Amino acid sequence: DVKVTQSSRYLVKRTGEKVFLECVQDMDHENMFWYRQDPGLGLRLIYFSYDVKMKEKGDIPEGYSVSREKKERFSLILESASTNQTSMYLCASSLTGPGFGNIQYFGAGTRLSVL
Amino acid sequence: KNQVEQSPQSLIILEGKNCTLQCNYTVSPFSNLRWYKQDTGRGPVSLTIMTFSENTKSNGRYTATLDADTKQSSLHITASQLSDSASYICVVRKTGGSYIPTFGRGTSLIVHP
């Protein structure tokens, strides 16, 4: 069964802290994504990675960085957390290649609160 | 800019009733359209996918339609159940090997007993 696992369901951090959100997939997918989801705004792409050590900025990369040292793991880093980064963070993975679909499989999400 | 617009933003219906959610898109060139269901506090899960040549596709009580000419899709839910309460997200992908799909903002459906 397909599985994308995010390390924490709920996280509370203080302003200025460095925050790590971890995501692991067991499907040998090339692509991995980090989104944030806010009420009324839908899912917005922060960063994605199409291969190990490769990363591309999404729509809202400011204040975030990512790391992909192994194919199965994609980490989102908040270098200095701010209150406006309070949100639901969703990780996803997908295959690359022709054909329709390239379905994205999502993790359960991490609800981050920055106080 | 490529966009995906969903309506209504929210919907409340009684258990057992039918409902239809709408998705209009301007993403081009079009490859496929997918509907996701997202339960509260969970990640989205794929319901259906439709390509350019498909008009209708069903998954149990969920039926998706696609009109590629008018760039519109709908998701029809028949005989709604309490477990249908969720956010439904329309996602459109371009051709050309793009890794990045375009997400709508979702329709929040509440089914009351």
Side-chain angles (χ1 to χ4, degrees), chain A:
Chain A
D1 196 16
V2 163
K3 202 162 187 180
V4 178
T5 304
Q6 295 184 228
S7 54
S8 304
R9 291 297 309 277
Y10 301 95
L11 214 50
V12 180
K13 296 292 181 180
R14 297 216 173 267
T15 302
E17 277 193 79
K18 190 169 186 176
V19 182
F20 292 87
L21 303 183
E22 304 287 345
C23 175
V24 178
Q25 50 95 2
D26 64 358
M27 298 163 285
D28 202 35
H29 284 172
E30 295 89 353
N31 304 321
M32 296 189 74
F33 309 79
W34 274 107
Y35 295 90
R36 65 176 282 176
Q37 186 176 33
D38 301 289
L41 295 180
L43 275 78
R44 292 181 292 167
L45 182 65
I46 304 172
Y47 268 97
F48 73 98
S49 168
Y50 53 89
D51 201 353
V52 175
K53 296 190 183 296
M54 305 304 290
K55 60 185 179 184
E56 293 287 342
K57 293 180 180 179
D59 298 322
I60 50 165
E62 296 79 17
Y64 304 94
S65 62
V66 291
S67 171
R68 192 163 181 206
E69 296 298 317
K70 294 185 178 181
K71 190 175 186 179
E72 67 270 20
R73 186 180 298 271
F74 193 34
S75 303
L76 180 69
I77 304 156
L78 286 67
E79 296 289 343
S80 177
S82 63
T83 55
N84 63 12
Q85 292 178 310
T86 292
S87 185
M88 168 74 102
Y89 290 87
L90 288 162
C91 174
S93 72
S94 73
L95 285 169
T96 299
F100 68 87
N102 301 118
I103 180 175
Q104 286 183 306
Y105 294 90
F106 285 85
T110 296
R111 187 165 293 282
L112 172 68
S113 296
V114 182
L115 306 178

Side-chain angles (χ1 to χ4, degrees), chain B residues 20-64:
Chain B
T20 300
L21 314 180
Q22 300 288 345
C23 174
N24 297 338
Y25 62 91
T26 60
V27 174
S28 183
F30 175 81
S31 175
N32 62 72
L33 182 148
R34 190 184 294 276
W35 284 92
Y36 282 86
K37 179 187 179 188
Q38 185 178 19
D39 293 315
T40 301
R42 312 296 296 182
V45 176
S46 177
L47 284 175
T48 67
I49 180 173
M50 303 190 73
T51 58
F52 186 86
S53 59
E54 295 175 303
N55 300 118
T56 304
K57 184 170 283 189
S58 292
N59 178 4
R61 293 180 297 102
Y62 300 100
T63 300

Side-chain angles (χ1 to χ4, degrees), chain B:
Chain B
K1 183 179 179 180
N2 291 320
Q3 287 191 325
V4 177
E5 301 289 340
Q6 292 186 244
S7 62
Q9 187 173 357
S10 61
L11 185 60
I12 301 174
I13 62 174
L14 292 176
E15 186 178 14
K17 297 296 185 182
N18 303 336
C19 67
T20 300
L21 314 180
Q22 300 288 345
C23 174
N24 297 338
Y25 62 91
T26 60
V27 174
S28 183
F30 175 81
S31 175
N32 62 72
L33 182 148
R34 190 184 294 276
W35 284 92
Y36 282 86
K37 179 187 179 188
Q38 185 178 19
D39 293 315
T40 301
R42 312 296 296 182
V45 176
S46 177
L47 284 175
T48 67
I49 180 173
M50 303 190 73
T51 58
F52 186 86
S53 59
E54 295 175 303
N55 300 118
T56 304
K57 184 170 283 189
S58 292
N59 178 4
R61 293 180 297 102
Y62 300 100
T63 300
T65 65
L66 174 66
D67 185 334
D69 292 331
T70 61
K71 299 187 177 181
Q72 296 179 325
S73 176
S74 65
L75 181 68
H76 186 74
I77 304 175
T78 303
S80 61
Q81 299 176 358
L82 299 180
S83 59
D84 293 330
S85 295
S87 180
Y88 292 84
I89 303 170
C90 176
V91 183
V92 182
R93 187 181 294 276
K94 295 169 62 174
T95 58
S98 170
Y99 306 112
I100 310 302
T102 303
F103 285 78
R105 295 185 180 185
T107 292
S108 176
L109 174 65
I110 298 174
V111 180
H112 276 307

